[in-house]
Amino acid sequence: MSDAYAFDAARYWADDHPVLELVRARQAAGSAPGARVDGCKLGLAVEGGGMRGVTSAAMLVALDDLGLRGVFDAVYSTSSGSINAAYFMSGGDCWYPLTIYFDDLCTREFVDMRQMFTKRPMLNLDYAFEEVLEAIKPLDFEKILNSPVEFHVTISLVDSLTGIGPHEFESREDLKSALKASCWMPVAVPGTGMFRGERALDGGVLTAHPHLLALEDGCTHVLSLSTKPIKAPPTRLTPGRRFSVAYLERLKKGLGRAYVDSQFGYRTQRKQLQQWMTEPGPGPSVLDLAPLPWMREVGNQTRDRDALTAAARHAHAVMSAAIQGIPVAEIRDGSFRSVPRFVTVRTANGERIG
């Protein structure tokens, strides 16, 4: 077995991994949600992380390109990954919403680091939700609400110190409220969001990765889309993380400690997940795809279009290679790669018409 974190490993996943085998079998059989005959429950877990969500967005584009939108039974998402998953669930061309990261979010209207030492948000969620999702690149909430595939949005409830993943939404506004709460990144967005009358924060605070929710929900197989590269995690809290812990403790006593416990527990688990990628273990099968060790990590508040484009290309190639059985060596030497696609659109009153 190759080192899960090695720069030059021969492989990072087994071509016959149980998750890949199930995905391919369902596609070949034309299996549809609500009419499965294989006895399995396949979950799609979509991580976010602010602007780092461009990575999972591009992986979803690859799944769409390969005609795999219909193979999943449930979708589990957190932070900006929830927005990515919502567009994936709503149908349409996934390349179009991916451009949100390049066109609409990498601007000072959304990311403004000058607000770091003020009480104003560094990430403007009002702009993202009220302008981008509503008018610039409208999200079809009704299609999500009517989908036969369950859509779980991971949220951290502040006062009860509980991570939840609701999927039965009462209305368009209820779903929108869940998405916004899941994206309420501590520090970058002051205070807390609200979900059904309770103070709420980014789902990643108390549920380190949405695949954990998928396993709790009984999935036998999970395709996990991670936005941080496969590499050995730090063994200590960085200064930025320590600041976040102190901030969370001020919001609610015990919240910072719960965040630390969640993050360090997941770091240990992710190393095991990477080992199971090449030698699947017993029990539920999880395929945790992520940028490879030599690929540059995108910051959660970056506005660098070149970095965002490169991250999207890499992520799309990783997903495409895994599904199609392409050797990692071909990604590394550039003989297998993803290239951007241009799409022309016309809009009227903010709605796409062509």
Side-chain angles (χ1 to χ4, degrees), residues 35-354:
R36 312 292 191 197
V37 295
D38 53 34
C40 300
K41 183 175 182 179
L42 175 59
L44 176 64
V46 188
E47 188 180 31
M51 296 299 287
R52 201 172 65 241
V54 71
T55 297
S56 56
M59 289 184 178
L60 292 172
V61 171
L63 290 174
D64 186 29
D65 287 345
L66 294 168
L68 298 173
R69 204 191 296 254
V71 303
F72 303 101
D73 300 304
V75 176
Y76 306 83
S77 60
T78 193
S79 190
S80 56
S82 296
I83 305 302
N84 300 338
Y87 277 106
F88 184 75
M89 292 276 293
S90 67
D93 187 343
C94 280
W95 277 98
Y96 186 55
L98 175 63
T99 64
I100 288 174
Y101 288 93
F102 314 128
D103 293 346
D104 310 300
L105 300 187
C106 64
T107 65
R108 278 220 170 98
E109 284 187 277
F110 180 63
V111 180
D112 192 346
M113 297 299 292
R114 297 175 301 179
Q115 309 301 339
M116 181 179 296
F117 301 107
T118 73
K119 293 183 179 181
R120 297 176 181 176
M122 287 180 278
L123 299 181
N124 187 345
L125 293 186
D126 287 339
Y127 165 73
F129 280 84
E130 303 309 322
E131 295 190 42
V132 179
L133 269 67
E134 290 288 357
I136 299 174
K137 288 172 181 146
L139 175 63
D140 193 334
F141 289 91
E142 294 304 320
K143 281 191 177 179
I144 301 169
L145 293 172
N146 295 322
S147 173
V149 177
E150 290 182 2
F151 181 40
H152 297 251
V153 180
T154 309
I155 300 168
S156 299
L157 297 182
V158 173
D159 295 303
S160 62
L161 303 181
T162 304
I164 62 172
H167 71 277
E168 294 180 338
F169 300 102
E170 301 168 357
S171 65
R172 181 185 194 281
E173 287 306 313
D174 190 39
L175 172 56
K176 185 177 177 181
S177 173
L179 292 172
K180 191 170 185 178
S182 188
C183 291
W184 204 284
M185 187 177 291
V187 181
V189 188
T192 69
M194 297 293 294
F195 179 65
R196 296 177 181 172
E198 298 189 61
R199 293 198 299 163
L201 288 173
D202 187 310
V205 172
L206 296 179
T207 303
H209 195 287
H211 91 267
L212 299 171
L213 183 62
L215 294 178
E216 289 178 10
D217 196 44
C219 287
T220 60
H221 298 71
V222 182
L223 179 58
S224 169
L225 314 187
S226 291
T227 59
K228 294 180 181 179
I230 297 171
K231 62 182 180 181
T235 56
R236 300 180 182 179
L237 288 176
T238 63
R241 293 282 188 182
R242 287 198 294 271
F243 182 82
S244 295
V245 170
Y247 175 87
L248 292 169
E249 281 292 322
R250 289 196 296 272
L251 286 177
K252 171 69 178 180
K253 185 175 177 58
L255 184 58
R257 171 49 55 188
Y259 167 69
V260 171
D261 291 345
S262 173
Q263 293 297 312
F264 275 99
Y266 175 62
R267 288 173 185 177
T268 300
Q269 185 188 42
R270 191 178 186 195
K271 186 171 184 178
Q272 181 66 74
L273 284 176
Q274 291 300 325
Q275 292 174 345
W276 285 345
M277 295 265 279
T278 52
E279 296 181 1
S285 296
V286 180
L287 181 69
D288 185 38
L289 294 179
L292 300 176
W294 66 87
M295 296 175 177
R296 176 183 172 186
E297 182 174 352
V298 174
N300 57 22
Q301 295 173 46
T302 188
R303 289 173 46 212
D304 185 336
R305 277 194 180 89
D306 289 341
L308 291 167
T309 302
R313 292 181 62 179
H314 288 155
H316 188 278
V318 167
M319 178 60 72
S320 300
I323 297 296
Q324 298 177 85
I326 305 296
V328 167
E330 292 191 25
I331 302 177
R332 188 184 298 112
D333 67 20
S335 57
F336 181 84
R337 61 187 184 276
S338 295
V339 297
R341 185 174 77 179
F342 290 101
V343 177
T344 56
V345 298
R346 299 179 68 191
T347 60
N349 298 322
E351 295 185 6
R352 183 179 178 183
I353 59 176

